[in-house]
């Protein structure tokens, strides 16, 4: 089909010509992978995915460098996380290297869909669903793994726009021992109504809080970082992977860049020299106190879609806590992280995080 106008792309509304499909059953295991025309799936009305939310997915992107090469960013982490999610749902696991090889073949077929324009990419959505044709809550005897792709434009097409957050105390995203640390479809649907409520109150996203101390967990569908300035030291904090936090690929990348910079292993231009990195719980009381004392440097989210998403205010218990942002909408840490990550993803900075698909 004709390519869409890449200057007018809306996220998740355009898809490439082909998709990858791999069936599975508990007798013969994984079937023959096929690259087929993009189109509707035929699933039985009794399929377990429709009744018991036996579905999980991943989100990753393919980029073009200035020479036209198609590249992936840390796809091994997506394969590992997808297998972890499959285990949690009692769906079949797979060989991550083999699935990645198949995804590369799909990208080669539809490589003309990978945009060259700055800030654009091809979003890749591997998905695994239970397709057992019978009612009953149990591990499915049949499943389908499929991969669809679609071109997307820059998350901030008109420059960075900091988001506002509603410190959500009425609902929780996840709980200890639950499924918050897995990329399951069931984690996302229940968040739509709280987001609508946040929008009605004038906020862009939910800031998911947990426990009596209102610990910060995630920003909408993103991981969360907050920076404090105390004396000559800047401290970058993100909640630990305690089972409630999704182990994001960009989250891990920011932590790695920050720790390498702090240790002197590999500096990131623009980051403060006296940087401390911590994975620990951070409460709204700490954020509010830091704001009042002038010690709050910035707060931002990280994820595949936006990469870095700065925050400018949090509505919390009836009042707004303002978060510093620069004139360009970013902060003193978020901008260096974003520049370094975009440089790696676009192939401008050499890194073993980049995997070349084709020339």
């Amino acid at each position: 089909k004709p390519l869409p106008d890449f200057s007018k792309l809306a996220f998740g509304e355009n898809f490439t010509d082909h998709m990858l499909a791999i069936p599975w059953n508990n007798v013969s295991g994984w079937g023959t992978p096929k690259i087929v025309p993009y189109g509707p799936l035929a699933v039985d009305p009794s399929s377990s995915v429709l009744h018991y939310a036996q579905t999980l997915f991943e989100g990753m992107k393919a980029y073009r460098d200035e020479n036209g090469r198609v590249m992936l960013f840390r796809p091994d982490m997506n394969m590992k996380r997808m297998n972890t999610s499959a285990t949690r749902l009692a769906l079949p696991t797979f060989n991550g290297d083999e699935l990645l090889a198949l995804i590369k073949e799909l990208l080669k077929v539809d490589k003309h869909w990978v945009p060259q324009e700055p800030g654009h990419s091809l979003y890749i959505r591997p998905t695994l669903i239970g397709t057992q044709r019978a009612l009953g809550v149990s591990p499915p005897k049949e499943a389908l793994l499929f991969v669809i792709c679609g071109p997307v434009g820059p998350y901030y097409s008109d420059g960075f726009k900091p988001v506002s957050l509603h410190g959500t105390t009425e609902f929780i995203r996840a709980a200890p021992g639950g499924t918050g640390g897995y990329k399951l479809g069931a984690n996302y649907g229940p968040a739509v109504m709280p987001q609508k409520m946040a929008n009605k109150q004038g906020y862009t996203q939910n800031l998911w809080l947990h426990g009596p101390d209102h610990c910060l967990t995630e920003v909408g569908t993103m991981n969360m970082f907050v920076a404090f300035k105390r004396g000559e030291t800047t401290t970058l904090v993100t909640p630990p992977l305690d089972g409630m936090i999704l182990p994001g690929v960009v989250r891990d990348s920011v932590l790695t860049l920050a720790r390498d910079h702090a240790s002197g292993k590999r500096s990131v231009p623009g980051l403060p020299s006296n940087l401390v990195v911590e994975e620990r719980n951070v409460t709204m009381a700490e954020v509010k106190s830091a704001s009042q004392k002038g010690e709050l440097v910035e707060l931002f989210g990280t994820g595949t879609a936006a990469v870095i998403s700065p925050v400018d205010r949090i509505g919390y218990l009836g009042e707004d806590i303002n978060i510093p942002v620069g004139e360009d909408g970013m902060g003193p840490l978020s901008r260096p992280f974003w520049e370094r990550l975009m440089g790696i993803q676009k192939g401008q900075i050499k890194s073993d995080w980049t995997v070349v698909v084709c020339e």
Side-chain angles (χ1 to χ4, degrees):
K1 50 182 177 278
L3 296 176
D5 184 346
F6 285 165
S7 67
K8 300 178 181 179
L9 291 173
F11 184 85
E13 294 185 6
N14 296 278
F15 299 96
T16 63
D17 295 319
H18 298 89
M19 58 189 287
L20 171 69
I22 317 169
W24 174 92
N25 66 63
N26 66 338
V27 176
S28 56
W30 289 104
T32 302
K34 294 182 179 180
I35 293 177
V36 297
Y38 178 93
L41 299 175
V43 296
D44 194 272
S46 66
S47 293
S48 54
V49 62
L50 302 176
H51 299 270
Y52 310 117
Q54 288 179 331
T55 176
L56 60 97
F57 64 93
E58 274 298 321
M60 47 200 294
K61 287 181 176 179
Y63 303 84
R64 278 194 190 275
D65 69 5
E66 57 188 13
N67 297 316
R69 295 186 306 171
V70 177
M71 302 175 299
L72 296 169
F73 178 72
R74 306 190 75 182
D76 56 309
M77 292 195 69
N78 295 99
M79 299 297 96
K80 179 180 177 181
R81 188 172 63 183
M82 191 171 180
N83 262 323
T84 302
S85 297
T87 300
R88 182 62 177 86
L89 276 191
L91 283 166
T93 57
F94 52 87
N95 183 307
D97 291 337
E98 293 297 328
L99 178 56
L100 182 55
L102 294 171
I103 291 174
K104 289 179 179 180
E105 292 302 314
L106 175 63
L107 294 177
K108 290 174 184 177
V109 171
D110 282 345
K111 64 181 180 181
H112 58 292
W113 283 84
V114 185
Q116 181 79 54
E117 289 78 359
H120 290 62
S121 57
L122 186 74
Y123 186 79
I124 305 166
R125 175 56 66 90
T127 307
L128 178 58
I129 62 175
T131 55
Q132 178 170 311
R133 294 165 288 177
L135 300 180
V137 182
S138 63
K141 297 179 181 179
E142 299 176 31
L144 175 67
L145 195 161
F146 62 92
V147 182
I148 57 176
C149 308
V152 294
Y155 195 81
Y156 298 103
S157 57
D158 300 321
F160 280 94
K161 295 179 180 178
V163 299
S164 57
L165 305 177
H166 171 56
T168 305
T169 57
E170 316 94 300
F171 307 95
I172 62 171
R173 174 190 167 273
T179 60
Y182 307 90
K183 205 163 181 63
L184 313 184
N187 290 344
Y188 293 83
V192 175
M193 187 270 286
Q195 180 172 335
K196 287 181 63 177
M197 294 178 63
N199 296 158
K200 286 183 179 179
Q201 297 180 60
Y203 300 97
T204 311
Q205 290 279 1
N206 299 91
L207 173 60
W208 297 106
L209 307 176
H210 183 265
D213 294 330
H214 292 167
C215 291
L216 287 71
T217 60
E218 294 196 1
V219 175
T221 59
M222 297 178 287
N223 292 123
M224 187 278 303
F225 286 83
V226 59
F228 302 100
K229 179 74 171 182
R230 287 161 182 153
E232 297 300 316
T233 300
T234 300
T235 303
L236 181 67
V237 183
T238 193
L241 299 180
D242 56 2
M244 292 191 295
I245 305 296
L246 185 72
V249 176
V250 181
R251 173 191 182 275
D252 183 84
S253 302
V254 167
L255 279 174
T256 301
L257 292 175
R259 286 173 172 151
D260 285 353
H261 177 85
S263 67
K265 179 180 178 180
R266 186 179 294 108
S267 65
V268 176
L271 286 183
S273 56
N274 296 330
L275 181 65
V276 175
V277 184
E278 297 178 350
E279 285 186 83
R280 63 168 175 83
N281 289 325
V282 56
T283 66
M284 281 304 303
E286 181 180 3
V287 172
K288 183 176 180 180
S289 174
S291 176
Q292 293 170 341
K293 295 177 181 178
E295 297 175 346
L296 185 58
V297 177
E298 67 172 314
L299 192 150
F300 58 91
T302 62
T304 299
V307 184
I308 301 287
S309 183
V311 175
D312 63 359
R313 67 186 173 102
I314 302 171
Y316 177 62
L317 300 180
E319 63 176 316
D320 277 354
I321 300 173
N322 293 315
I323 314 293
V325 293
E327 292 183 0
D328 62 355
M330 301 201 78
L333 280 77
S334 56
R335 172 159 285 284
F337 284 130
W338 179 80
E339 290 176 342
R340 177 54 62 97
L341 289 171
M342 292 304 297
I344 294 172
Q345 291 175 350
K346 294 291 289 184
Q348 298 163 347
I349 299 174
K350 290 185 178 181
S351 172
D352 56 7
W353 288 349
T354 299
V355 175
V356 177
V357 175
C358 58
E359 300 294 333

